[in-house]
Amino acid sequence: MTACYDLFLDRTRPGTWPAVFSEKFGRITAVDREQDGPAMWWQAVAEAKLRRRHLVALSASLAPDQALLAGLIAAFAIDPMFGTAQPRFAKAGTGWIWPLPSDAGPVALVPRTGLEMLAPLTITAEMLAACIVIRREVVAAMDPLDGFCSLGGAILSALCIARRRGFRNAVVNRTVLETDQPGTVLYPALAAKDAALLTLRYPDHALAARANAALEEAELELLLAAAYPEPGVPRRLLMDCRGLDPIHNGTSRYLLGMLDGFAQLRPDWEIVLQVAPEAAAFHQLATRCPSFPQVNGDITRHYAAAVLLHQPWSLETVAELHRHGFLILFSMLDTIGWDILYPTPPTVEPAWRFAARHADVLAYISAFSQDRFRQRFPVSAGVKEGVVRLSLLPQEYRHGEQADLTEGEHVLIMGNDYDHKALGPTAALLCAAFPFQAFVSLGGSGPPAVNLRVVPGGAMPDAELQALVASARAVVFPSFIEGFGLPVVEGLSYGRPVLVRQSPLWREIAAHARFEAPLIAYEDEIELIEQLDAVLAGRAASGLAFGGSLSLGESAAGWRDAAAGLLGLLEARLQARDIEHWRSRSGALRIWRGRA
Amino acid sequence: MDRLAEQANEIALLRDRAARLEGALQAVLTSSSWWLTRPMRGVARALQTPLQLWRRPPAHPAAPSEPAKPAEPVRNITFESIGPEDAGRTALPPDGQHKAVWVGVDLPYPVRDGGGYRVHRLLNRLAARGWDVLVLIFPHAGQVPPPSRMREAAAVYPGLLVLDPEGRLHGRSPIDVALRGLPAKHTDLAPEVLARVQDAFAPEAIFVESVLAARILPALRPGTAAVVDLGAAPLGDEEALPEADLLITLAPAVAKMPHRLTVVVGADLPPACARPGGSAERHQLLLVGSAHPDDVAGVRHFLRFAWPIIRRAAPAAELAIVGGVGATIGQVGAGGRLLAGPPDPAYAEAGIVLSPAVTPGFRLEVAKALRHGRPVVCWPGALAGLPGELHPLCHVATNWVMFARHALRLLEAADGGGEAVRETAERAFAPECVYAELDAALARPPFIR
């Protein structure tokens, strides 16, 4: 190969310089510690300019071979405005790549497998590195700049000017230079005095620095490091449990059930719980799932996947999970918040629309919820979808002491004060239709009636709530729309007849479950009171058919299956080794941030 | 001959029943607890004011008719004459052998609902048994009868006084002169008026509705017998009725309370109530309700819950709604209609009679339906005050689905009761049966001195 470049060797740093270079490749200018680095640099520039050569600036005892330098120079042929090119640096003897400098968080080495998923080139603004090839056209236009006390200052100021003239830096990702040098040497920081001088002369250099620090590829590299770790290193999964409050409610039952499922599953993932300490203590998470580390506050590390076990309520949440998880998974519980509108912040609409287009995985807790979501938010082809139902195993809902309770006197009506739950009107209806029957309204308010006891759900200890369910003569769940209907499953699990308003959801639940108590769907209030009358009188009530979607002898799925279902979706997604979806999401979030 | 034999049997039945009641009454009157507590009741009445000082307040929430708060100013009573009586009414006979005062919160007459009917019939019975009854009404605020209604009542009750919450005494009574210009001493005017009534009228017995008992009983003069009408209410805190000599109730369960002279008093049904003739339309349901809120609620709930079930299963069924409830119901919907005018003629044409009110009380429509030989669907509370032998003739529901099912079953039944029901009801609603226990109790001291 005919040499087409000169070499500038920075020997001011400690280390042994390999004797691999000779003049036959081009003129070599070396600067030692006692020499004036900037002066020597401009001298090398002048020589290269004279000889119309590219100029290779090397430091830190690096030993790139001809082929590597040729690979970098080849980048210039791709784009005439690539003014500089630099390789990736690998830790000698390993497959680990030093990540590009960024403000994306703690430095983590990137596996070469991850690097291979990146684009061949990453285009940046001026960026100091231990190995840079400067295009000869750029060299030709360089004029000495005085005032910089360090070699780095002299080089970076020249690159800054080149960028101002339209020349960008190309990081050649497939060209890897192995070295023992640390990241601080490979991507050196500019001396403070020179940095100040450079910014003073060219304030736009701050823009360049910011652009480099926020480099999308840099973010991606850290995430790839988490997503595709070296063999033997477990993937990390962030379970965002910040929605877990220190109370017993439907959300807590769902989240705890899923955590139980993951704990039973013992996956070869490292599961980290992002959870408020109060909630963790209240629900005894340390005892419940001792192998899952707990973190709180800002998310700092990078994960193969960030999982939110409910819908995102704002794009901020999406963006945060995107920054820290290569994959992001949302568990879509239902579309009720969007449908009913009145209690829902306006941030939900863009967040769900975004999730439908850019999430890696959307897991729905029922096919019914999936259908509702897809009707409202077109899901892009790049999103992996799956129905992961919650546990339908009775034994996973029955609490020990309450399981043996005998039938009491009351009929339990469950819900809350949202209109779609229809709790208050149903309580009023039933109290009037059955004036001699005792009712308990759980979860909201109720009309004044002598045969009604109103119990606000969140305020009651869990054992008492369970006892109310377990001892009910029947459970009425009058909600117009649900994503899954945990109270229904709880009631059935305790062997109590459950009456629900007709919905395709209940046929789905029944088809995937086997319960002994009947699940009775009613169409209107007349059918409700007729069915309840039949239940209370001990007459056979016509319930939905159970187990239609289960094969003979197959039991219903439990929490462990639900956890496995979620992990399965994530692992299938990882196997696709697709970063274009991530890029698309990242780009969209960058646009959103820019607008915000 | 058959008829004569039936009547003879009936008389024997009544005699037997009266004898049994007499025995039961004697057992109570001769029981040691009753007589042992009698002097204590007298002492309590004599010491009524001091006792009230240390008596703890009743456990029940204050009724709307509770005495006015002390902060309210002392008022003077003014007297307003009710005016000339409406001729043509059948008035209670005045100048009986004994004197009694009936104290209530509402005019029993003109009859507006079953409760009023029962009281009105009770007053008739007292008059028929030689009691000269003064009717004294203390209406709740906002429920003062209009002058026209007071005039109608005055046409029937020779002695009538209505004290409205503003302190105006509307009256037509033999003692009204004694009450005119009455200076009030208390913020609660009712006991003051009652004291003057006792001074002027000298009744041997005071009958008082239980809701007023706590206000009225402490104001009784020593020697005046006290009768508290519990109606259909369960017996609550006994301290509210410490001085009662007799409790009358609609609920047989209350009558079984120990150490308390309690008799069941429903209401009789004069023969004129049953209008013969008319052919029953089996598919016709008659829903009878007054303007009382319980009736209104019952009718509304029937239309919402039961009528759709009936209509779906029996499209030919027709519903007629009659009574004061019609004014507030408005639209009835398909298959139903509101009938204007008094309800009585409708019983003869109805196939089934429905009693909609859930709350317990004397249900005139139930009594009249049975008297017409019509099957009845009702709530458990409608059995209150109904003679026990009629209970099996009522189809009692405990929810509206059952209510509808009872109606449907009766619609399908070939025979809803008919003549057998009518005859049983005729016997059971005879005054001799209905008031047997009361008559026996009032024929004894302290009512007869």
Side-chain angles (χ1 to χ4, degrees):
Chain A
M1 175 185 173
T2 305
C4 59
Y5 53 84
D6 284 354
L7 281 165
F8 177 80
L9 304 180
D10 176 9
R11 296 195 296 207
T12 60
R13 295 180 185 277
T16 307
W17 194 266
V20 295
F21 302 109
S22 70
E23 290 283 347
K24 72 176 183 180
F25 295 119
R27 183 184 174 84
I28 298 174
T29 303
V31 59
D32 292 312
R33 193 173 300 179
E34 62 275 12
Q35 291 179 299
D36 181 351
M40 295 295 287
W41 164 253
W42 292 118
Q43 185 184 323
V45 167
E47 287 292 333
K49 187 191 257 186
L50 183 68
R51 294 149 60 90
R52 293 180 176 162
R53 297 291 185 96
H54 307 305
L55 180 57
V56 178
L58 283 174
S59 67
S61 312
L62 297 181
D65 58 19
Q66 279 293 323
L68 186 142
L69 293 176
L72 295 179
I73 290 167
F76 296 149
I78 296 171
D79 191 313
M81 298 312 287
F82 286 162
T84 55
Q86 52 184 258
R88 300 307 301 264
F89 303 104
K91 200 167 184 177
T94 74
W96 296 97
I97 306 292
W98 285 99
L100 295 175
S102 77
D103 61 359
V107 170
L109 297 181
V110 183
R112 194 170 292 212
T113 50
L115 192 70
E116 284 164 5
M117 294 169 64
L118 296 178
L121 297 172
T122 300
I123 302 169
T124 76
E126 63 269 23
M127 179 190 289
L128 272 184
C131 174
I132 301 175
V133 182
I134 304 171
R135 190 185 191 108
R136 71 183 191 195
E137 289 88 344
V138 172
V139 173
M142 280 183 174
D143 292 314
L145 294 166
D146 58 3
F148 292 96
C149 60
S150 70
L151 180 57
I155 295 174
L156 194 59
S157 61
L159 300 185
C160 173
I161 291 169
R163 187 256 305 156
R164 288 169 61 91
R165 289 168 176 163
F167 292 99
R168 282 289 188 131
N169 177 46
V171 178
V172 185
N173 288 318
R174 303 283 190 272
T175 302
V176 178
L177 176 56
E178 290 206 357
T179 173
D180 289 328
Q181 295 296 326
T184 51
V185 171
L186 298 172
Y187 296 106
L190 197 57
K193 189 178 171 187
D194 281 355
L197 178 61
L198 182 56
T199 308
L200 181 67
R201 288 186 181 170
Y202 302 105
D204 51 281
H205 174 68
L207 293 176
R210 276 207 296 277
N212 285 346
L215 206 58
E216 186 178 75
E217 297 298 300
E219 259 182 69
L220 177 57
E221 286 177 10
L222 294 172
L223 294 171
L224 286 172
Y228 299 99
E230 292 299 296
V233 178
R235 286 183 169 123
R236 285 194 308 275
L237 185 150
L238 178 71
M239 191 75 73
D240 187 347
C241 298
R242 287 175 292 185
L244 183 66
D245 292 321
I247 56 170
H248 295 291
N249 58 11
T251 304
S252 69
R253 268 191 267 286
Y254 162 55
L255 288 174
L256 295 175
M258 288 304 295
L259 292 181
D260 288 346
F262 279 107
Q264 292 167 29
L265 191 62
R266 296 176 172 275
D268 53 0
W269 288 59
E270 179 191 354
I271 294 176
V272 178
L273 306 182
Q274 185 83 20
V275 61
E278 302 79 23
F282 182 84
H283 295 292
Q284 301 179 315
L285 294 189
T287 309
R288 197 162 194 140
C289 32
S291 61
F292 299 167
Q294 296 172 24
V295 293
N296 66 83
D298 293 336
I299 302 174
T300 53
R301 300 175 69 189
H302 294 86
Y303 298 84
V307 170
L308 186 64
L309 286 174
H310 54 77
Q311 304 98 321
W313 297 106
S314 72
L315 272 175
E316 277 80 3
T317 303
V318 179
E320 186 182 24
L321 297 182
H322 167 82
R323 276 198 301 276
H324 296 279
F326 176 62
L327 300 182
I328 55 175
L329 180 152
F330 300 112
S331 187
M332 304 307 294
L333 309 183
D334 52 61
T335 59
I336 299 168
W338 185 87
D339 284 321
I340 66 177
L341 200 65
Y342 65 90
T344 308
T347 53
V348 163
E349 157 91 20
W352 291 10
R353 208 161 285 288
F354 189 94
R357 190 168 185 80
H358 294 294
D360 289 293
V361 180
L362 292 180
Y364 306 95
I365 59 173
S366 63
F368 178 78
S369 276
Q370 181 178 31
D371 292 344
R372 303 288 78 67
F373 188 81
R374 298 187 72 164
Q375 283 289 340
R376 288 152 182 77
F377 302 95
V379 177
S380 72
V383 177
K384 177 111 184 126
E385 296 178 276
V387 174
V388 178
R389 291 180 192 85
L390 316 190
S391 171
L392 286 167
L393 282 177
Q395 60 268 32
E396 293 194 320
Y397 290 94
R398 284 198 298 260
H399 291 220
E401 292 176 7
Q402 287 76 31
D404 299 327
L405 286 177
T406 54
E407 185 178 292
E409 296 293 324
H410 66 281
V411 169
L412 184 63
I413 315 167
M414 299 183 79
N416 58 39
D417 279 336
Y418 284 124
D419 285 6
H420 72 275
K421 297 284 188 181
L423 180 63
T426 305
L429 157 82
L430 292 177
C431 286
F434 296 83
F436 298 99
Q437 169 61 49
F439 290 94
V440 174
S441 171
L442 175 60
S445 58
V450 292
N451 56 336
L452 178 66
R453 175 184 165 213
V454 176
V455 177
M460 188 177 252
D462 192 45
E464 286 181 39
L465 287 175
Q466 295 293 326
L468 272 179
V469 179
S471 61
R473 295 185 71 189
V475 174
V476 179
F477 192 59
S479 179
F480 282 91
I481 179 170
E482 287 296 312
F484 186 80
L486 269 179
V488 170
V489 180
E490 286 176 334
L492 292 170
S493 297
Y494 281 113
R496 303 305 172 198
V498 177
L499 293 97
V500 290
R501 196 183 297 273
Q502 217 167 66
S503 161
L505 171 66
W506 308 124
R507 288 198 297 276
E508 177 190 347
I509 296 294
H512 289 84
R514 297 189 198 279
F515 291 106
E516 291 181 7
L519 175 58
I520 302 153
Y522 64 87
E523 186 172 342
D524 53 29
E525 66 180 33
I526 297 301
E527 198 172 358
L528 167 60
I529 64 174
E530 284 184 312
Q531 296 280 20
L532 182 58
D533 175 62
V535 167
L536 296 178
R539 294 195 301 276
S542 53
L544 299 174
F546 287 121
S549 294
L550 301 173
S551 52
L552 192 65
E554 181 187 4
S555 71
W559 288 118
R560 181 193 165 101
D561 302 294
L566 280 189
L567 279 185
L569 288 169
L570 290 172
E571 285 170 348
R573 182 74 185 189
L574 284 172
Q575 279 179 3
R577 292 183 173 269
D578 169 32
I579 60 167
E580 287 315 305
H581 196 69
W582 185 93
R583 282 188 195 286
S584 170
R585 177 168 69 234
S586 177
L589 284 171
R590 281 165 183 266
I591 292 169
W592 166 69
R593 276 198 214 104
R595 285 179 182 161
Chain B
M1 287 300 289
D2 287 348
R3 183 69 187 146
L4 281 174
E6 272 180 23
Q7 285 178 344
N9 284 340
E10 206 172 304
I11 290 166
L13 199 70
L14 289 171
R15 279 187 179 146
D16 179 56
R17 188 175 173 194
R20 275 189 282 115
L21 291 169
E22 178 78 8
L25 187 62
Q26 284 296 342
V28 173
L29 293 176
T30 55
S31 72
S32 56
S33 61
W34 177 254
W35 287 110
L36 283 173
T37 55
R38 168 70 183 161
M40 294 166 66
R41 293 198 299 275
V43 170
R45 196 172 302 155
L47 299 174
Q48 53 203 336
T49 305
L51 279 174
Q52 279 203 317
L53 294 176
W54 52 263
R55 178 181 296 159
R56 66 181 172 83
H60 298 299
S65 58
E66 288 290 303
K69 291 187 174 68
E72 291 182 10
V74 172
R75 292 164 298 180
N76 288 319
I77 297 175
T78 59
F79 188 87
E80 293 181 14
S81 174
I82 287 174
E85 65 186 59
D86 185 6
R89 305 282 181 189
T90 306
L92 268 59
D95 303 326
Q97 293 174 294
H98 311 290
K99 289 182 180 176
V101 176
W102 170 266
V103 186
V105 295
D106 194 15
L107 285 173
Y109 188 90
V111 171
R112 293 195 300 187
D113 52 36
Y117 174 82
R118 172 177 166 270
V119 172
H120 179 62
R121 294 305 304 164
L122 175 61
L123 298 181
N124 273 273
R125 181 62 178 179
L126 291 174
R129 301 286 288 182
W131 289 82
D132 187 4
V133 182
L134 172 67
V135 178
L136 183 53
I137 302 298
F138 299 122
H140 298 318
Q143 296 179 8
V144 178
S148 60
R149 193 153 182 265
M150 284 196 269
R151 280 196 297 274
E152 279 193 79
V156 171
Y157 304 133
L160 174 65
L161 292 168
V162 179
L163 177 68
D164 72 24
E166 304 302 318
R168 288 186 296 271
L169 189 64
H170 310 263
R172 189 180 83 81
S173 84
I175 59 161
D176 57 6
V177 176
L179 294 166
R180 288 181 189 179
L182 181 76
K185 293 178 183 171
H186 304 100
T187 52
D188 183 14
L189 300 175
E192 183 72 13
V193 170
L194 184 66
R196 295 306 180 98
V197 165
Q198 289 178 89
D199 291 343
F201 188 57
E204 291 139 287
I206 300 281
F207 291 72
V208 58
E209 285 185 45
S210 61
V211 69
L212 289 171
R215 289 169 66 187
I216 296 303
L217 293 187
L220 294 197
R221 297 280 190 256
T224 306
V227 182
V228 174
D229 180 18
L230 299 169
L235 192 59
D237 187 353
E238 293 220 12
E239 278 200 75
L241 311 166
E243 296 92 11
D245 297 287
L246 176 66
L247 301 179
I248 58 178
T249 177
L250 278 167
V254 172
K256 292 175 184 165
M257 297 279 295
H259 311 306
R260 178 69 72 175
L261 182 57
T262 309
V263 295
V264 177
V265 179
D268 67 314
L269 217 53
C273 285
R275 292 167 184 260
S279 57
E281 297 290 340
R282 255 184 56 203
H283 64 280
Q284 180 142 315
L285 305 173
L286 179 65
L287 184 61
V288 188
S290 70
H292 191 282
D294 292 345
D295 280 2
V296 174
V299 171
R300 286 192 194 285
H301 289 152
F302 172 84
L303 292 174
R304 180 180 178 186
F305 301 129
W307 184 229
I309 296 174
I310 296 169
R311 282 277 292 170
R312 199 172 54 210
E318 291 179 4
L319 174 68
I321 299 178
V322 67
V325 70
T328 53
I329 288 301
Q331 295 294 320
V332 179
R337 61 199 165 106
L338 290 172
L339 295 184
D344 286 8
Y347 287 99
E349 294 174 5
I352 303 158
V353 176
L354 310 172
S355 175
V358 175
T359 47
F362 182 79
R363 302 284 171 227
L364 186 54
E365 67 274 15
V366 173
K368 287 189 174 179
L370 294 171
R371 190 74 174 75
H372 281 82
R374 298 293 180 260
V376 177
V377 183
C378 61
W379 294 89
L383 301 183
L386 211 58
E389 57 267 41
L390 295 179
H391 291 192
L393 305 177
C394 297
H395 302 266
V396 179
T398 54
N399 66 57
W400 282 108
V401 180
M402 194 188 292
F403 199 98
R405 283 209 317 271
H406 282 328
L408 282 170
R409 199 170 53 249
L410 290 169
L411 282 170
E412 292 167 3
D415 180 16
E419 191 60 18
V421 171
R422 195 193 63 74
E423 289 175 1
T424 306
E426 185 178 348
R427 288 194 299 273
F429 286 120
E432 295 76 19
C433 273
V434 171
Y435 304 111
E437 290 184 26
L438 178 66
D439 289 348
L442 295 181
R444 301 281 177 192
F447 301 100
I448 302 298
R449 291 194 286 263

